[in-house]
Amino acid sequence: MKIISIIITNKHNIDKMNIYLKRREKLLEKLDDKSLIIIFGNREKNRNNDVKYNFRQNSNFLYLLDLAEPDSIFVIEKLENKRYLKIVFSKVRNKKD
């Protein structure tokens, strides 16, 4: 796993990312201080030995992040004094993926 960051490149992406930022902020408002939420993204599923199903990310994960990487993990912690910590973990994909 590695920590990934989201790179914003144009106004459309900025507007789109603001939607997800607002959703995460709304979630944080509902949490008590010193709370932690861990959301696991879906895993890729094999249909048979050499064929995989089309990947579909966990709906809660998509709602907060719009990240469609398999095996990702989103951790959000509400600290004291309106501070928070957000971390996204994602697998390093090899060239076959």
Side-chain angles (χ1 to χ4, degrees):
M1 292 265 180
K2 69 174 183 172
I3 298 174
I4 64 168
S5 61
I6 298 170
I7 299 170
I8 300 172
T9 56
N10 60 41
K11 184 176 180 345
H12 173 73
N13 284 345
I14 291 171
D15 292 341
K16 187 176 179 183
M17 295 315 297
N18 284 337
I19 292 168
Y20 298 100
L21 178 63
K22 288 176 186 175
R23 290 175 180 173
R24 292 189 297 268
E25 288 173 351
K26 192 173 181 180
L27 173 64
L28 282 165
E29 288 172 6
K30 295 179 181 190
L31 294 177
D32 294 330
D33 285 350
K34 300 181 182 178
S35 297
L36 178 76
I37 293 178
I38 302 172
I39 301 174
F40 294 90
N42 283 339
R43 307 189 95 191
E44 287 185 306
K45 296 179 181 166
N46 284 339
R47 187 174 186 166
N48 52 38
N49 289 336
D50 58 349
V51 177
K52 293 182 179 182
Y53 284 106
N54 290 334
F55 177 73
R56 183 179 186 304
Q57 185 59 279
N58 174 310
S59 296
N60 295 316
F61 202 91
L62 281 175
Y63 182 79
L64 293 171
L65 287 172
D66 192 35
L67 177 66
E69 287 294 320
D71 300 317
S72 297
I73 302 169
F74 178 53
V75 178
I76 188 165
E77 180 179 12
K78 185 172 183 181
L79 308 169
E80 296 175 314
N81 301 321
K82 296 187 178 185
R83 294 182 4 211
Y84 54 87
L85 173 68
K86 297 180 284 190
I87 304 172
V88 177
F89 297 92
S90 183
K91 279 176 93 173
V92 177
R93 297 179 67 101
N94 62 32
K95 292 178 183 177
K96 293 180 189 176
D97 296 338

